[in-house]
Amino acid sequence: MLPHQIELLSPARTADIGIEAVNHGADAVYIGGPSFGARTSADNSVQDIARLAKHAHRFGSRIYVTVNTILRDDELEPARKLIHQLYDAGADALIVQDMGLLEIDLPPIQLHASTQTDIRTVDKAVFLQNAGLSKLVLARELTLPQIRAIYEALDEQRCLVEFFIHGALCVAYSGQCYVSHAHTGRSANRGDCSQACRLPYEVKDSQGRIVAHDKHVLSMKDNNQSGNLRALIEAGARSFKIEGRYKDLGYVKNITAHYRRLFDEILEERPELGRASSGRCHFSFAPDPDQNFNREFTDYFVNGRQDDIGAFDTPKNPGRPIGFVTQLGPNWVELQCDDEATVIHNGDGLCYLDLHRELVGLQINRAEPAGAPGRFRVFPKDALEGLRHLKRGTVVNRNRDMDWVRALDKKSAERRIGVWMALSRTAEGLRLDLTDEDGHAAHAELACALEPARDAAQAHDKLREALGRLGDTLFAPIDISLAFSEPWFVPASLLNPLRREAVAALEAARAKAFKRLPRGQAVEPPTPYPEDTLTYLANVFNHRARAFYEKHGVKVIASAYESHEETGEVSLMITKHCVRFSLSLCPKQAKGVTGVQGTVRAEPLTITHNDEKLTLRFDCKPCEMHVVGRIKPSVMKAAAASPITFHRTRPTARGAH
C-alpha cells in the first residue's frame, strides 16, 4: 500500500463473509486464523484463509490475519508454525499485540500493530515504526490534532496510520482493560472479554449517596466517522477500519458498501489520492448504517470531548422511531406509522422504552394493514401482559426490518475491473487485446478465415455487443475498439473462445504482477523504548516479549495482569470516558458557574453490579478515568499458575533465552 492510497478495511467472521466484504468494496479484510485471534468463536482454518486470499488478490485486495492475543511461552511455537502456514496460504500481513512475536522466527510477512498495543503518543508510534511495524492502528480516543502529530512524526514510506471509523467502542483504551479477567478469569487480551462495560451499575458518591441507578455508565454508543472522513485523511490516516469480527453478513455488506460510496466520492474529488485495490462496485440496495444493530452513534473524541457519547439507558439496539400505539387488543397492537408509506413486515423487530427507560422488545409474528394509510395491526410473539408499560401513545421503534434483512441475504453487489478491448485483424485471423484499469495487458489470437459482413451497418455494433459479454468474469468494458478497414462477419463460435482466452490471459497477468507486501525492517541498533520501566499495563506475558523490551533498554519489567502478580487494588480499566463528566459532575464543567464553582470535586465514585463493586478514580490532568478493583479469589484459585516469573527489581538475562 502506497502513502497516497486510501484503504477501506472490513472485518470478517468467516471466509465467506470476507469474500462478500471484497465484493462490496473492501480494499482489505481482517480475519482471525484458527487460534490467537483475540475473538473467541471467530476462528477460521488456514484453508479458508487461503480461499479468501485467492479471491481478494484477484482485485488487489489484501488479507490481514489477527494474531493479536498475548501469548504464553508454551504458545509461541504453535503461533510460529501457524504464522508460517498463514504466509504460505497467501495472508498479506499479521495484526499483532504481543511483541514476543518479533523475537521469533517469522516468515517475511508484514506486521501491523493492533489497537491493543495502545498507541496514543508520538513516542510510542515512532518506536513501533522503528521496531519494524508497517501500520499502526491508533487508539480510538485520539483527536484529529493528535492523529496529525503521529502522522507527521512517522516516515510514510515505512509506516502508515490506521484508524477505526465504525462499530462498537470499547470504553477502555484497548489493551488496558482487565475487569473481565479480574471478575471471571476471561481475559480480553486473550480474546475472551465478558463485556462488563455493558452491564447496568448503581453509582454512588464518596458519601454513599446514589448518583445514578441501574445505568449502563460504562457502555458507549457506536463509532461512526462518516462525517469526518475528509478530516481524517487530512490528519494523515490512510487505512480506515470497520469494527466487527463478530458481526453478521448483512452488517459487513451494508457498512462496507456505505463507506465504499463515501470514499469513492472523496477519491473523485481528490485525484492525487488513489484506491488501494481495483474495480468499481454496483449495489442492488441503498447502504444505510441505521439498518444494522447499533447503540446509536457518536464520533467519540475525534473532534474533542463530547457530552453525549454514552449509551447509558441500554446497551441494546434502540432502532429508529417508526410510529406510535393507537389501540391494544387481546393479542394485537395497532400502530400508526409516522410515514404513511412505511410497511411493517412479518418478523420485524420492534421495541419501545418503558417508564424506567428500559428497552422492551416487541417482536412481530404477523403484521397486517388496518385500514388507514400507514396503520397496521401487529401480533407480537410474546403475550401482551408481559410487555411492560405498553399503552396508547407509546412511541415504537423498529430495530430489525425483515425486508432489509432478506434483501441482504441475496446477491447484493457486483465488483468489476474496467478493461479496454481492441479487436484487430492479423494475417492469420483475429487478435483481441485487453488492457485493464491498472495497466495490465494481455491478448489472444485466433487463426481463422473471415467473410465480409452482409450488413455493414450492423456488423460493428454486433461485434462490440458480443465482445462486451464478459458475464461472470472480473471485468467490465470501458471501451471496445475495432481496428478493421472494412466490416467483417465473425461468428460467435469464433469470438467467444477468443474472448475467454484473452480474459484468462489478463487474469494470469494480474496474478503474476501481484506483489506481496514487504516486511518492515527494524532499526539497528535497536531504538530505546520511551520508558525504562513497564508495569502490568504493558501486557508482557512471555519471555520473548520480555527479551524484546530488554533489548530496547527497559530495565524493570512487570508481568501481565493475567500472570496474577497484582493481587491488590489496581486500575482494571483506563478510559478517556469520564462518568463524572457524563453526569455533569466534572469540576471543569462547574468552573465559572455561580454557586457551584469550588463545590464540585473529582472525588472517587463507586459503581456496583450485583456483588461486583468497583471504584472510579479521576486523573484530571490527562482527563482520564481509572476503574479500580482487585482480582477475585475464585479467579486466583481456578486459574492456572503464571507461566512466567519476572523479577521487578533485579532484571536478569533470563528472558533472552
Side-chain angles (χ1 to χ4, degrees), residues 247-259:
K247 297 298 178 72
D248 60 20
L249 177 62
Y251 171 93
V252 173
K253 283 184 173 185
N254 183 36
I255 302 304
T256 301
H258 168 70
Y259 283 101

Side-chain angles (χ1 to χ4, degrees), residues 368-423:
E368 55 189 40
R375 185 164 294 186
F376 286 84
R377 179 167 290 185
V378 299
F379 296 82
K381 175 183 175 182
D382 300 316
L384 258 61
E385 53 265 27
L387 299 174
R388 302 186 306 271
H389 308 148
L390 185 65
K391 61 183 188 303
R392 291 180 62 183
T394 299
V395 174
V396 174
N397 293 1
R398 177 158 60 187
N399 55 12
R400 186 181 68 251
D401 183 339
M402 283 306 299
D403 196 46
W404 171 269
V405 170
R406 293 186 190 102
L408 287 185
D409 282 342
K410 305 171 186 174
K411 182 178 179 179
S412 50
E414 279 195 349
R415 182 172 181 174
R416 298 294 181 93
I417 298 167
V419 62
W420 287 268
M421 311 178 74
L423 184 67

Side-chain angles (χ1 to χ4, degrees), residues 261-505:
R261 283 191 167 180
L262 294 181
F263 280 118
D264 284 349
E265 290 175 8
I266 294 170
L267 293 173
E268 289 296 323
E269 300 167 5
R270 301 280 301 274
E272 76 278 13
L273 299 174
R275 289 175 174 81
S277 63
S278 307
R280 302 292 188 275
C281 294
H282 300 280
F283 307 116
S284 62
F285 67 102
D288 180 3
D290 281 326
Q291 289 285 4
N292 291 116
F293 178 99
N294 67 81
R295 302 174 180 90
E296 301 184 313
F297 292 121
T298 174
D299 68 357
Y300 216 31
F301 290 92
V302 164
N303 290 302
R305 187 176 290 280
Q306 307 295 316
D307 291 331
D308 191 21
I309 63 174
F312 295 162
D313 287 329
T314 176
K316 300 175 184 177
N317 177 16
R320 292 188 289 188
I322 191 175
F324 59 94
V325 176
T326 57
Q327 289 187 66
L328 295 171
N331 63 341
W332 51 263
V333 179
E334 192 171 279
L335 301 175
Q336 176 62 53
C337 296
D338 298 327
D339 182 348
E340 293 181 351
T342 297
V343 176
I344 299 177
H345 315 100
N346 297 343
D348 276 2
L350 308 182
C351 60
Y352 64 95
L353 288 171
D354 68 12
L355 296 180
H356 303 301
R357 296 198 60 77
E358 288 288 333
L359 201 65
V360 180
L362 190 65
Q363 186 173 337
I364 303 307
N365 275 343
R366 188 171 90 253
E368 55 189 40
R375 185 164 294 186
F376 286 84
R377 179 167 290 185
V378 299
F379 296 82
K381 175 183 175 182
D382 300 316
L384 258 61
E385 53 265 27
L387 299 174
R388 302 186 306 271
H389 308 148
L390 185 65
K391 61 183 188 303
R392 291 180 62 183
T394 299
V395 174
V396 174
N397 293 1
R398 177 158 60 187
N399 55 12
R400 186 181 68 251
D401 183 339
M402 283 306 299
D403 196 46
W404 171 269
V405 170
R406 293 186 190 102
L408 287 185
D409 282 342
K410 305 171 186 174
K411 182 178 179 179
S412 50
E414 279 195 349
R415 182 172 181 174
R416 298 294 181 93
I417 298 167
V419 62
W420 287 268
M421 311 178 74
L423 184 67
S424 58
R425 188 180 179 190
T426 65
E428 291 77 23
L430 292 172
R431 173 180 169 124
L432 178 59
D433 285 272
L434 304 182
T435 304
D436 70 22
E437 62 188 49
D438 300 313
H440 303 109
H443 73 275
E445 295 187 9
L446 180 69
C448 63
L450 298 179
E451 299 178 9
R454 295 178 182 176
D455 188 339
Q458 294 185 16
H460 282 190
D461 288 341
K462 287 184 176 180
L463 277 176
R464 287 192 180 92
E465 181 184 350
L467 287 171
R469 292 172 186 160
L470 293 174
D472 292 331
T473 70
L474 293 184
F475 306 106
I478 296 173
D479 181 68
I480 302 172
S481 63
L482 305 175
F484 291 157
S485 57
E486 56 183 298
W488 296 97
F489 169 70
V490 183
S493 60
L494 297 180
L495 204 58
N496 290 343
L498 179 66
R499 185 187 63 236
R500 285 194 293 268
E501 184 181 344
V503 165

Side-chain angles (χ1 to χ4, degrees), residues 80-81 83-84 100-107 519 544:
R80 185 194 69 80
K81 290 180 179 178
I83 291 166
H84 278 270
L101 292 172
L102 278 67
E103 296 294 303
I104 64 176
D105 171 37
L106 295 183
R519 171 77 175 271
R544 292 291 190 176

Side-chain angles (χ1 to χ4, degrees), residues 612-623:
E612 309 288 2
K613 185 176 181 181
L614 296 163
T615 301
L616 307 182
R617 299 188 185 277
F618 304 92
D619 188 353
C620 292
K621 188 173 181 180
C623 214

Side-chain angles (χ1 to χ4, degrees), residues 71-388:
L71 303 169
R72 300 191 310 261
D73 279 309
D74 63 324
E75 293 173 326
L76 287 171
E77 179 59 15
R80 185 194 69 80
K81 290 180 179 178
L82 172 62
I83 291 166
H84 278 270
Q85 293 171 353
L86 292 169
Y87 182 75
D88 292 341
D92 296 288
L94 301 179
I95 302 173
V96 302
Q97 174 187 189
D98 195 320
M99 293 298 113
L101 292 172
L102 278 67
E103 296 294 303
I104 64 176
D105 171 37
L106 295 183
I109 190 169
Q110 192 169 97
L111 301 178
H112 299 172
S114 168
T115 187
Q116 281 134 314
T117 56
D118 187 31
I119 306 167
R120 288 181 268 155
T121 66
V122 167
D123 287 347
K124 189 165 188 180
V126 172
F127 170 79
L128 290 171
Q129 170 190 264
N130 291 339
L133 281 297
S134 300
K135 195 175 288 181
L136 308 180
V137 190
L138 303 188
R140 296 170 174 91
E141 293 80 1
L142 297 189
T143 63
L144 289 168
Q146 289 172 320
I147 296 168
R148 180 77 187 182
I150 290 174
Y151 161 73
E152 290 178 344
L154 297 175
D155 177 353
E156 63 181 8
Q157 299 299 325
R158 297 164 57 203
C159 191
L160 297 174
V161 168
E162 183 175 307
F163 196 72
F164 273 99
I165 55 170
H166 201 92
L169 286 166
C170 292
V171 63
Y173 292 120
S174 289
Q176 304 291 281
C177 185
Y178 311 94
V179 176
S180 177
H181 186 79
H183 287 174
T184 69
R186 295 165 54 187
S187 167
N189 281 315
R190 288 178 55 76
D192 194 16
C193 179
S194 63
Q195 294 198 317
C197 57
R198 301 300 182 188
L199 298 174
Y201 290 95
E202 182 175 78
V203 185
K204 291 184 178 180
D205 66 13
S206 57
Q207 299 178 50
R209 296 173 297 192
I210 295 175
V211 177
H213 179 68
D214 272 355
K215 289 294 182 182
H216 303 263
V217 292
L218 299 180
S219 180
M220 298 294 94
K221 292 180 178 178
D222 285 0
N223 186 20
N224 187 332
Q225 302 294 337
S226 297
N228 295 324
L229 300 182
R230 290 169 178 81
L232 286 166
I233 291 172
E234 288 301 312
R238 289 297 177 266
S239 180
F240 297 85
K241 190 170 191 174
I242 298 167
E243 180 276 337
R245 278 197 294 129
Y246 275 152
K247 297 298 178 72
D248 60 20
L249 177 62
Y251 171 93
V252 173
K253 283 184 173 185
N254 183 36
I255 302 304
T256 301
H258 168 70
Y259 283 101
R260 181 73 272 157
R261 283 191 167 180
L262 294 181
F263 280 118
D264 284 349
E265 290 175 8
I266 294 170
L267 293 173
E268 289 296 323
E269 300 167 5
R270 301 280 301 274
E272 76 278 13
L273 299 174
R275 289 175 174 81
S277 63
S278 307
R280 302 292 188 275
C281 294
H282 300 280
F283 307 116
S284 62
F285 67 102
D288 180 3
D290 281 326
Q291 289 285 4
N292 291 116
F293 178 99
N294 67 81
R295 302 174 180 90
E296 301 184 313
F297 292 121
T298 174
D299 68 357
Y300 216 31
F301 290 92
V302 164
N303 290 302
R305 187 176 290 280
Q306 307 295 316
D307 291 331
D308 191 21
I309 63 174
F312 295 162
D313 287 329
T314 176
K316 300 175 184 177
N317 177 16
R320 292 188 289 188
I322 191 175
F324 59 94
V325 176
T326 57
Q327 289 187 66
L328 295 171
N331 63 341
W332 51 263
V333 179
E334 192 171 279
L335 301 175
Q336 176 62 53
C337 296
D338 298 327
D339 182 348
E340 293 181 351
T342 297
V343 176
I344 299 177
H345 315 100
N346 297 343
D348 276 2
L350 308 182
C351 60
Y352 64 95
L353 288 171
D354 68 12
L355 296 180
H356 303 301
R357 296 198 60 77
E358 288 288 333
L359 201 65
V360 180
L362 190 65
Q363 186 173 337
I364 303 307
N365 275 343
R366 188 171 90 253
E368 55 189 40
R375 185 164 294 186
F376 286 84
R377 179 167 290 185
V378 299
F379 296 82
K381 175 183 175 182
D382 300 316
L384 258 61
E385 53 265 27
L387 299 174
R388 302 186 306 271

